[in-house]
Amino acid sequence: MILYDYYRSSASYRVRIALNLKRLEYQQVSVNLLQMEHRSAAYLQRNPQGLVPVLEDDHGLLSQSLAICEYLDEAYPGPKLLPESASGRARVRCLAQIIACEIHPMNNLRALKYLQGELNISDDQKAQWYQHWVAEGFAALEQKLSQDPETGKFCQGDQPGLVDLCLVPQMFNARRFNCELAAYPTLVRIDSACQQLQAFAAAHPDRQADSTA
């Protein structure tokens, strides 16, 4: 199994956590986004979108982090990333998509590069943009998680799963961009609980080989 990723990509970070939680062995191949390796002809053959991550196993190539995570959960044994009940799975997908589909696309590298390179916004304006979308998404997450009895030590009960592996990378990025987190005590608590687990710690950007490249 090969994971084509970039150490600071939130989507890649999610999949690394998922692979670790499922206790799967994998080889990492770094795709340096800053050096435009994701736009090379060879990489575009793997993923015409030119995005990371891409997962390769005996069944072929997969892209899109949430699709990869659900595939891993269905195709491989190990701890489950989604609950068994239909209502539980819907709840988990809802929470995960708030992060992966509502917050992250507004603030990922290609969006920020376009804002600065094409629209010529300043560093301060970029920070305001980033912090605005994090605050809007985190406020909704905090309300949902803090008021729902299905929230436990982690986002869904007392075992980490799909929502947690989306939350942790977004919390990492929020701190990078100096977002104020005091208003989200539930998110901070769950993030802290996740960080105590080896599956999350080993996936941290600072622990990837290409972090020093």
Side-chain angles (χ1 to χ4, degrees), residues 102-122:
E102 304 293 342
I103 303 174
H104 178 233
M106 305 300 293
N107 292 333
N108 67 10
L109 180 62
R110 64 177 180 160
L112 297 178
K113 285 178 69 175
Y114 184 85
L115 287 170
Q116 288 202 289
E118 301 299 323
L119 302 184
N120 201 34
I121 70 169
S122 67

Side-chain angles (χ1 to χ4, degrees), residues 22 67-77 80-82 89 93:
K22 298 292 286 185
I68 293 171
C69 292
E70 292 215 33
Y71 166 75
L72 293 172
D73 210 29
E74 294 171 1
Y76 290 94
K80 301 301 290 183
L81 303 178
L82 286 93
R89 295 169 81 86
R93 289 181 177 123

Side-chain angles (χ1 to χ4, degrees), residues 19 35 39 61 71 100 123-124 143 156 171 185 194 210 213:
L19 286 162
Q35 295 178 12
R39 304 306 302 175
L61 296 165
Y71 166 75
D123 286 342
D124 285 345
Q143 182 175 345
Q156 177 78 12
M171 294 288 282
C194 290
D210 57 338

Side-chain angles (χ1 to χ4, degrees), residues 5-18 53 165 168-170 172 195 200-201 203-205:
D5 75 344
Y6 180 61
Y7 78 105
R8 215 155 58 186
S9 155
S10 295
S12 298
Y13 192 175
R14 292 174 202 144
V15 174
R16 291 196 300 267
I17 297 169
L165 61 83
V168 166
Q170 198 63 61
F172 170 80
Q195 299 295 346
F200 287 83
H204 192 282

